[in-house]
Amino acid sequence: MQQRQLSPETDAASLKHGKKRGNYNCGRCGLPKKGHSCNITVDPTNPVPLPTRLRQTQLDYYQSSPSGQHHLLRRALSFDDDEVVDHVEPVSDDEESDACEPLPWSCLVEVLRRAGPKSLLSAAQVCRGWRDCARRLWRSTEELRLRVPPRSRLGSVGSLLQKCTGLLSLTLRMESDLDATLLACIAFSCPNLESLEIRTAENAVNWISGDELGRFVAEKRCLSTLKIEGCTNLGFLNICSSSLSTLWLSDLQSISRTAINCPKLKELSLEFSCLENDSTDLVMMVNSFGRTCPRLRNMHIASVRLSHDVVLSLAQTNLRDLRMLSLVLGTEITDASVAAIASSYTNLELLDLSGSSVSDSGIGMICNVFPQTLSRLSLAHCPNITSSGIQFATAQLPYLQLIDCGMTISDPSGEDLTTEQDSCSSEPSYEERVPKVKHHPMYQKLIIKHGRLRKLSLWGCSGLDALCLNCPELNDLNLNSCTNLHPARLLLQCPSLENVYAVGCGDVLIGAIHNQIVNDFISEMGHFPCKRLADGSKRVLVPCFPSQQPSDDEKGKALQSRCNIHVN
């Protein structure tokens, strides 16, 4: 397209009529008009050109434009086009102090991606560039964790989820009541969701029914993990999914009918409320797992209605891939139940029978069947177990790494322990439902020597009088509420010990634990090679220089960083 040629008379006429509106520079010299008196006269036949500096700046800008057209500069913080920053003219050394360099895109992304949802929403209101960056971060978010406060509107949660079109994992901490509207909002806003976890606070009520939960799972074709707390109003379970692999439901109550048809399900956890009027038929529920969930590997059921009949029904399902079995709070589970488990599942890696009536004979069956596979054993709240059974288990299970024997060796004449356990300990919280107790000697001693044991829990063993541990790999020891443990009969030979829990123990016992750990550490630091005398009569320590011996400060710092004794 040809450009129009202007004659000198036309240029002079344009200068005579004045500048266009919005131009605050002098039309003759180009300097700012405010406070300026121009002494340059205009010759209509020879118009004065623009100053060299201004003309060169416009030329550089036009040449730097990728399209060659004269368009306005966009803000450097705008991220509509990533190439805007690349075309910005470099600043000279003289003007570097006055220029404002744009924030790089990569730095802004790294800053905003570490902010929480509330901070990210506030950052989107700063400017257009930050809003676009926050919008892109919302779209690329794959994992989101939200806390929904009380009396909050569901619309705010829905508007936030609609920003995350690529969300794969969602965790909600509900402090307000929830119902099927929340599930509908999640199903509409997160079409590719793979993992959903809903946690409820103490005052929150879950009003989701079994029919509504079943419809949600059936519509989510990509859902693989589902964890929901507070399922007190389900009524029945009807879950059918071809993609679900993990299912956790807690606080279940009076489930009338159960239909869990998930061919790819590998982990199942069902926790029932500890109520006497619970009418759930666990025998029929467990009997269907073999047909509908053939790939089940991990199973956890916590219910006061667990009995020997439920274990027999589980043994008949023939779950060949089962590796972890946890049957908690079943006071009617006896040694015969252990025999049924041992005859059907010989490859268990974890066995949890806490709260059962298993005795030392049941431990003997466990040791005979799982000597090469079992690595974690939990027998908390099993008062029929003695220190002899625990010693036999640690001696016959060479691959054992964790054993929980809390409240097993307890003092029958002592008061009920209500001490709040530490959150780092491995004991669960149980209701006051204790199986039938066989009276054993009040004071018992426990001797454990194991090469691979890493965690040992003896919380609440008030009947324990003497303890001797020789475990080089042990790093976690729980002695909470071991009130009758004698300090002079305590021997700890555990060089790898990192955490010792002694809540509720006496000051003398705590001091003995501390002294033994210090002595073991000092003996390791002060260990010097021995050398036999010339006549070969005896060995003596090789003398060392004082500079080789560690100072008291070094010993204290190393001990503090190595082992922690928790007393609160």
Side-chain angles (χ1 to χ4, degrees), residues 111-169:
V111 170
L112 294 183
R113 70 192 295 262
R114 287 170 171 78
K118 186 177 180 180
S119 301
L120 193 58
L121 290 175
S122 301
Q125 302 176 1
V126 174
C127 61
R128 182 180 177 184
W130 285 38
R131 182 185 61 192
D132 295 341
C133 182
R135 185 180 302 170
R136 295 186 183 185
L137 287 176
W138 283 119
R139 292 177 181 177
S140 62
T141 300
E142 296 183 354
E143 183 179 358
L144 182 62
R145 300 178 182 179
L146 294 177
R147 182 184 65 87
V148 182
R151 299 179 181 179
S152 61
R153 296 181 179 180
L154 187 60
S156 58
V157 180
S159 61
L160 184 60
L161 293 179
Q162 289 180 0
K163 300 176 183 292
C164 309
T165 56
L167 192 64
L168 300 178
S169 177

Side-chain angles (χ1 to χ4, degrees), residues 532-557:
R532 192 177 295 275
L533 295 179
D535 55 356
S537 59
K538 62 179 181 178
R539 291 179 179 269
V540 295
L541 292 177
V542 177
C544 60
F545 296 98
S547 59
Q548 298 178 356
Q549 297 180 357
S551 61
D552 295 339
D553 296 338
E554 294 178 353
K555 295 178 182 178
K557 293 180 180 179

Side-chain angles (χ1 to χ4, degrees), residues 383-384 386 412-413 436-442 444:
N384 295 332
T386 62
S413 62
K436 297 180 180 179
V437 181
K438 296 180 181 179
H439 295 286
H440 300 287
M442 175 179 174
Q444 305 178 40

Side-chain angles (χ1 to χ4, degrees), residues 253-294:
Q253 181 180 354
S254 298
I255 303 299
S256 59
R257 179 170 55 88
T258 304
I260 302 178
N261 188 3
C262 302
K264 296 184 180 181
L265 191 64
K266 295 182 179 180
E267 185 174 354
L268 177 63
S269 176
L270 302 176
E271 294 187 2
F272 292 82
S273 58
C274 300
L275 299 177
E276 296 293 339
N277 57 354
D278 189 8
S279 60
T280 305
D281 191 356
L282 295 179
V283 177
M284 295 297 296
M285 177 187 295
V286 172
N287 191 21
S288 63
F289 290 159
R291 301 186 305 271
T292 59
C293 308

